[in-house]
Amino acid sequence: MKKVLSLFIVFSLTCPFSFAQKIWTLDECIKQAKQENLTVKQQIIQADVSKVDHQQSKQNLLPDLNMTLGQGFSFGRSLTESNAYENTNVQNSSLGISSGITLFDGLQMFNNIKNSNFDFQAALQDVAKAQDNIALQVMTYYLEVLYAKENLKLAEQQIVFTKEQLQKTAYLIESGRAPKGQLYEINAQLAQDEVSLSTAKNTLSLDLLNLAQLLYIEDVVSFDVDDNILLTEDGVLERTVDEIYQKALEFLPSVKAEELRIKSSETAIKVQRGAYLPQLTFSASYGNGYYHTDNVVNVDFQDQLEQNRTFGMSFNLSIPIFNRMSVCNNVKKANYNLQTQQLSLENVKYNLRKEIQQAYANAVSAREKIKLADANVTAYSEAYRYQADKYEAGTTALYEYNEAKNKLTKAMSEKIQAKFAYMFRCRVLAYYQGEKF
């Protein structure tokens, strides 16, 4: 037992990587969300249903084939061949096979094939749209985690600065260049910084939890993401809003789905109009039977099968004359459905243009904020350095020193926020220009 325990300890020390925590990249998170998200799964099922409907529309062109089997019994008095009533028992067996096919139905079945194909293609676009939506949501949560990590680093850095300030203040007090009361103020500042650190840790934990739940990951405690992320930023603002909009119309799943549904609605009108035309069908049948009567000499089974078999075939032409205006009203409703679908497409395009305009304006604004944030950090860094030198020399008040440090902290936090806001806006615009998540 001791030997086994020793081997386990040696293995644990020499192979730490076997128990290493998994670090999720952005691509892995997006892939996981697309596979596990319930909304995406529902859209995939709907696409499968549409695929079955399309297959059935093509299979409706095939003839049908049906078989019937029957067994009958008759008891009691019945008229015999000698024209007399006698008590007899009669058994009969029957077999029938029939098949039919529609030769012409006003091209309704052919238009149904087109209609169901457009519906199926639209359903596939709905799947792509759901996947893009969840990918965008994952990227949002992922950047929030990275932003929280940067704020946590900033909070930790502030504690380091405050502790250094505490040591410097203690030295100034010992040398008689600062009152002892400043030590209490710095301890209070350190306590406040520790509260900020605790808040930053809690924010990071919640952001990681939100992302893990979005990915349907059960082990949320050990979940973590890769800090190294490269998102496209350059060149996304080189195109105009109209150029981005026209490009998005070419591939965006939400637009393509509505366009396909318009085509489906157009073919649905043709399907309804086909009911105005005559319908021609062809059918064929085969039948046979065997009869047995008690107390009578019956024909052999084989001979009856030869004698009783029947064949039949028929062409049936149905000409609609008056159907209580049902066909006319169905055509009207199909036209209304087309108009509704056209309005739906216009609404999608309008919302798309509005989203691109907002994303473009937000990206431009975020870029300007980064420039201003860089300038603020540079300015407040110099101001902080100046106040720090004066404080060490004992020529400035603690209040002025803390104010300079707090302004620098705020400027650094705003820079981090502007950075991630710009990254997100640029990624959204890159998506509208054809780049996948």
Side-chain angles (χ1 to χ4, degrees):
M1 182 65 183
K2 292 182 179 180
K3 184 177 180 180
V4 174
L5 182 60
S6 300
L7 289 174
F8 175 77
I9 294 174
V10 172
F11 177 79
S12 300
L13 293 174
T14 56
C15 303
F17 56 86
S18 60
F19 304 100
Q21 177 184 3
K22 176 176 174 57
I23 303 298
W24 291 74
T25 65
L26 177 59
D27 291 339
E28 290 174 338
C29 290
I30 291 176
K31 182 179 180 182
Q32 171 77 5
K34 288 182 177 180
Q35 292 175 348
E36 301 298 331
N37 184 260
L38 298 182
T39 301
V40 174
K41 289 182 177 180
Q42 289 176 335
Q43 291 297 335
I44 292 175
I45 292 175
Q46 290 299 320
D48 291 337
V49 172
S50 296
K51 182 179 180 180
V52 173
D53 290 339
H54 178 51
Q55 291 174 342
Q56 183 61 56
S57 67
K58 293 187 290 185
Q59 292 163 353
N60 287 339
L61 296 175
L62 301 174
D64 61 5
L65 181 63
N66 300 287
M67 175 185 288
T68 58
L69 297 173
Q71 179 66 43
F73 301 92
S74 177
F75 307 97
R77 295 174 62 83
S78 62
L79 189 64
T80 64
E81 295 179 354
S82 60
N83 201 25
Y85 284 94
E86 297 180 1
N87 289 323
T88 58
N89 297 330
V90 180
Q91 304 177 34
N92 64 84
S93 303
S94 61
L95 165 69
I97 299 176
S98 62
S99 178
I101 186 173
T102 300
L103 301 179
F104 181 76
D105 65 344
L107 300 179
Q108 285 181 298
M109 287 192 295
F110 287 99
N111 286 320
N112 265 324
I113 292 174
K114 295 179 181 179
N115 177 270
S116 61
N117 181 51
F118 289 135
D119 288 339
F120 173 50
Q121 297 301 324
L124 292 179
Q125 293 296 326
D126 288 339
V127 173
K129 176 184 177 182
Q131 290 177 337
D132 286 350
N133 288 341
I134 193 63
L136 180 61
Q137 193 174 359
V138 167
M139 189 183 68
T140 303
Y141 281 27
Y142 196 98
L143 291 179
E144 287 179 355
V145 170
L146 297 187
Y147 175 59
K149 285 189 173 186
E150 292 294 326
N151 276 334
L152 177 59
K153 292 178 183 178
L154 184 60
E156 292 172 343
Q157 186 180 4
Q158 291 307 307
I159 289 184
V160 173
F161 287 160
T162 303
K163 287 181 177 180
E164 290 178 354
Q165 182 187 2
L166 182 63
Q167 294 176 354
K168 293 177 181 178
T169 302
Y171 172 75
L172 291 175
I173 293 174
E174 290 178 0
S175 61
R177 289 182 294 172
K180 190 175 180 180
Q182 288 189 0
L183 191 63
Y184 302 134
E185 294 182 17
I186 296 178
N187 282 325
Q189 180 64 44
L190 180 60
Q192 182 62 41
D193 290 343
E194 289 176 347
V195 171
S196 299
L197 177 63
S198 177
T199 302
K201 288 181 178 179
N202 291 335
T203 301
L204 175 58
S205 298
L206 289 175
D207 289 341
L208 283 170
L209 176 62
N210 290 334
L211 179 57
Q213 290 176 340
L214 184 62
L215 305 182
Y216 294 88
I217 294 177
E218 296 182 357
D219 185 14
V220 298
V221 176
S222 60
F223 176 74
D224 199 5
V225 300
D226 187 9
D227 297 352
N228 299 319
I229 179 175
L230 179 62
L231 295 178
T232 303
E233 299 179 21
D234 298 332
V236 294
L237 296 178
E238 293 179 356
R239 293 184 177 182
T240 64
V241 170
D242 189 65
E243 289 174 339
I244 298 174
Y245 172 71
Q246 294 300 328
K247 180 67 177 180
L249 291 179
E250 298 176 2
F251 74 92
L252 210 62
S254 57
V255 176
K256 289 300 180 183
E258 298 303 324
E259 290 176 346
L260 288 166
R261 289 191 172 94
I262 286 180
K263 294 180 180 180
S264 175
S265 298
E266 291 172 345
T267 55
I269 295 175
K270 295 179 181 179
V271 171
Q272 297 301 330
R273 286 176 177 172
Y276 283 123
L277 301 177
Q279 185 178 80
L280 178 63
T281 60
F282 171 76
S283 61
S285 63
Y286 166 79
N288 212 326
Y290 170 74
Y291 301 87
H292 176 80
T293 305
D294 293 347
N295 304 322
V296 175
V297 178
N298 295 282
V299 181
D300 292 341
F301 178 77
Q302 184 66 34
D303 292 337
Q304 284 199 40
L305 292 183
E306 291 291 334
Q307 297 172 5
N308 296 337
R309 61 185 179 183
T310 59
F311 298 92
M313 62 179 63
S314 64
F315 290 90
N316 298 297
L317 180 63
S318 174
I319 303 175
I321 298 176
F322 181 72
N323 46 35
R324 298 180 295 276
M325 304 300 293
S326 63
V327 176
C328 180
N329 289 327
N330 287 337
V331 172
K332 288 181 180 179
K333 289 191 293 184
N335 276 289
Y336 290 142
N337 288 335
L338 174 60
Q339 294 175 24
T340 301
Q341 196 58 54
Q342 290 171 339
L343 292 175
S344 179
L345 175 61
E346 291 302 316
N347 186 49
V348 168
K349 289 182 176 180
Y350 171 77
N351 289 332
L352 174 61
R353 179 180 287 275
K354 184 171 66 173
E355 290 171 2
I356 292 176
Q357 289 173 339
Q358 292 175 347
Y360 194 92
N362 289 332
V364 172
S365 175
R367 184 176 61 182
E368 295 302 319
K369 285 183 179 179
I370 288 180
K371 296 178 181 179
L372 295 175
D374 285 335
N376 284 341
V377 169
T378 301
Y380 284 122
S381 295
E382 293 296 329
Y384 170 73
R385 192 175 298 110
Y386 174 72
Q387 291 295 335
D389 292 340
K390 290 180 63 178
Y391 183 75
E392 291 179 7
T395 59
T396 188
L398 178 62
Y399 170 78
E400 294 177 345
Y401 173 83
N402 285 335
E403 186 178 11
K405 188 185 73 168
N406 292 335
K407 287 182 178 180
L408 175 60
T409 301
K410 182 180 179 182
M412 294 174 66
S413 178
E414 290 176 349
K415 179 181 178 180
I416 295 172
Q417 185 178 10
K419 169 189 171 184
F420 283 102
Y422 180 62
M423 291 173 63
F424 175 74
R425 301 302 178 186
C426 287
R427 194 64 195 89
V428 171
L429 287 176
Y431 165 69
Y432 286 133
Q433 296 181 44
E435 294 186 17
K436 288 296 183 180
F437 292 110

